[in-house]
Amino acid sequence: MQTLSRKADFPGLVTADGAPWHYLDTAATAQKPRAVIDAMARALGEDYATVHRGVYSRSAQMTLGYEAARRRVAEFVGADSENEIVFVRGATEAINLVAMTWGMTQLREGDRIVLSMLEHHSNIVPWQLVAAKTGAVIDVCPLTEDGRIDLGALETLLTSRTKLVSLAHVSNVLGSVLDARRAADLAHSVGAKLLLDGCQSAPRMTLDLPALGCDFYAFSGHKLYGPTGIGVLWAREDLLDAMPPYHGGGAMIESVTFEKSTYAPPPQRFEAGTPMITEAIALHAAIDYVDALGPDRLFAHEAGLAKQLRDELRGLNSVRLFGPEESAGIVSFEMEGVHPHDLGTILDEENVAIRAGHHCAQPLMAHLGVPATARASFGLYSDESDIAALMRGIERTQRIFG
Ligand code: PMP
């Protein structure tokens, strides 16, 4: 299984001295393959011009590239139309967009929004902002003992007042995978919409969003081996059609007078200003790269590494593991008597990069009863050498801390 590893394609995976850098923080952001870096450099260099406005051929060419990226994203997520793909800065912006447009127009006092205990702050705070303005109320779905969103509990939380269920498709802390189809069926059974935070599923799962049954799906390009500064909101066309603009400015209008402006249809309605042209083109290259390897293979590869790491960590008696046995390639743990930040610092000396902290999931940390965890997360370039380096570093940390 580990033959998938493509370290040679990723210039970021070596240290300044040319030694291997064991990057285990892909859930935060993925390293970029040469194909993405080259696509971005070309778009910023010999191909560069604005889109949608220029009458000169370079701009027309760039517009074709930008819209081809939209079609490629649509194909990648199984969308019915590229008009369902809105380019945004990242998942955070995608969720805020839904909250501030759909949420502000659809939610009334006493309506319920269901989130889960394991959500990232990006899927909590926008809903708190909307709840404060509309009088809607947030319900929190608990987790199973092993750290999955408890869909039995979700069922009992739902009422005719529930208008939205918004859940992580894959947890960025525990790696737990949601049964999205079942969550969609449950939400729809009371007439609620389902938003999936796809930050951690887009980089490692084959997606067919209409078949999954969700209504909104948000993800970030930089976790999908693309650049920062671009992400995607997918929503069904009828939902986008009914949503008011998010930002006002150029490119999102049909006509403007001082008396009244009219707005372009989606997706342009939600893309005010000069868009992320080069980022979209580089995201296209990233999707081509990931698709050629096959997202299902990536999932199996990373889940296999996560299982191996869990087994090895279990062999050390001072380690507490969080999350389910079967998970995407993300492993959170705690070493008895060692703060995760100290572990992260010692590992850094061994050229091993892990994440230590609350992972923007403070309610989940409170639920687990810890201020922070250590988290190792795998990507398509990860292999057994990364696990071996991590284990060496952990054993050295154990010796240092006695
Ligand atoms: N949701 C999840 C599950 C995430 O892992 C992240 C990134 N850590 C986000 C939302 C926010 O993504 P971004 O910062 O790229 O907007």
Side-chain angles (χ1 to χ4, degrees):
M1 200 190 296
Q2 273 65 18
T3 53
L4 187 68
S5 176
R6 291 294 186 97
K7 287 190 189 298
D9 292 349
F10 291 81
L13 291 177
V14 287
T15 67
D17 320 328
W21 192 45
H22 299 285
Y23 184 70
L24 293 169
D25 199 16
T26 296
T29 196
Q31 294 293 320
K32 317 304 169 202
R34 180 64 68 193
V36 169
I37 299 166
D38 289 349
M40 185 116 176
R42 257 195 323 278
L44 279 171
E46 59 266 37
D47 293 346
Y48 191 70
T50 193
V51 293
H52 293 153
R53 285 183 267 266
V55 290
Y56 47 91
S57 52
R58 176 87 75 90
S59 171
Q61 208 49 42
M62 205 62 171
T63 304
L64 290 178
Y66 181 69
E67 291 304 328
R70 194 190 307 279
R71 281 196 301 283
R72 187 68 180 93
V73 172
E75 181 192 32
F76 183 66
V77 302
D80 293 329
S81 154
E82 69 250 37
N83 292 335
E84 298 177 339
I85 303 301
V86 181
F87 283 129
V88 288
R89 277 185 300 151
T92 300
E93 186 172 58
I95 298 171
N96 276 278
L97 193 164
V98 178
M100 292 301 156
T101 61
W102 182 88
M104 285 301 291
T105 51
Q106 299 299 317
L107 295 170
R108 305 272 173 277
E109 189 167 355
D111 283 345
R112 320 290 295 197
I113 301 166
V114 180
L115 311 176
S116 88
M117 186 63 89
L118 59 66
E119 297 310 314
H120 189 282
H121 297 163
S122 293
N123 193 28
I124 299 174
V125 183
W127 303 115
Q128 289 175 329
L129 294 173
V130 171
K133 289 197 169 110
T134 60
V137 179
I138 292 172
D139 293 311
V140 181
C141 181
L143 308 182
T144 59
E145 192 99 322
D146 66 351
R148 287 170 295 118
I149 296 171
D150 186 341
L151 293 182
L154 174 64
E155 193 166 4
T156 62
L157 273 177
L158 296 173
T159 74
S160 59
R161 292 307 303 268
T162 310
K163 294 293 180 287
L164 179 76
V165 177
S166 191
L167 303 173
H169 196 188
V170 171
S171 161
N172 65 310
V173 181
L174 304 174
S176 19
V177 182
L178 176 74
D179 180 348
R181 181 70 246 184
R182 184 155 167 243
D185 290 343
L186 289 173
H188 294 160
S189 72
V190 294
K193 305 286 182 233
L194 175 68
L195 185 151
L196 287 181
D197 173 350
C199 265
Q200 302 297 340
S201 55
R204 45 176 71 83
M205 287 168 82
T206 299
L207 296 172
D208 181 348
L209 299 180
L212 274 189
C214 60
D215 300 285
F216 302 101
Y217 184 88
F219 68 93
S220 294
H222 69 96
K223 295 180 196 266
L224 181 59
Y225 306 94
T228 52
I230 187 148
V232 171
L233 169 68
W234 169 87
R236 289 199 331 264
E237 213 166 350
D238 59 317
L239 285 170
L240 287 176
D241 270 338
M243 282 155 54
Y246 176 45
H247 293 148
M252 51 72 75
I253 51 89
E254 241 162 28
S255 70
V256 177
T257 66
F258 277 109
E259 287 69 42
K260 179 178 167 34
S261 298
T262 57
Y263 309 122
Q268 278 73 31
R269 186 187 301 159
F270 304 104
E271 295 183 6
T274 304
M276 297 70 79
I277 309 167
T278 51
E279 290 81 358
I281 288 168
L283 177 61
H284 187 161
I287 289 176
D288 283 347
Y289 185 90
V290 165
D291 235 7
L293 294 173
D296 283 342
R297 280 177 71 216
L298 303 194
F299 187 93
H301 173 73
E302 297 167 21
L305 291 170
K307 179 95 185 60
Q308 181 185 336
L309 176 59
R310 289 182 75 90
D311 288 345
E312 294 197 24
L313 288 173
R314 226 188 318 270
L316 307 172
N317 51 21
S318 58
V319 171
R320 175 179 170 203
L321 282 163
F322 302 101
E325 268 318 294
E326 299 299 321
S327 73
I330 299 170
V331 178
S332 263
F333 60 97
E334 179 190 46
M335 280 178 73
E336 212 174 279
V338 184
H339 193 281
H341 285 136
D342 293 331
L343 173 62
T345 306
I346 294 170
L347 289 173
D348 186 41
E349 293 164 9
E350 310 262 337
N351 295 335
V352 176
I354 62 155
R355 178 78 177 265
H358 54 61
H359 318 292
C360 297
Q362 287 182 357
L364 175 59
M365 296 297 116
H367 168 74
L368 297 172
V370 293
T373 73
R375 180 187 72 184
S377 56
F378 298 105
L380 65 88
Y381 35 67
S382 308
D383 64 18
E384 283 158 342
S385 71
D386 301 312
I387 295 182
L390 172 62
M391 293 306 292
R392 274 196 306 277
I394 288 177
E395 279 156 23
R396 185 161 85 87
T397 308
Q398 278 188 320
R399 284 197 299 277
I400 291 170
F401 280 81

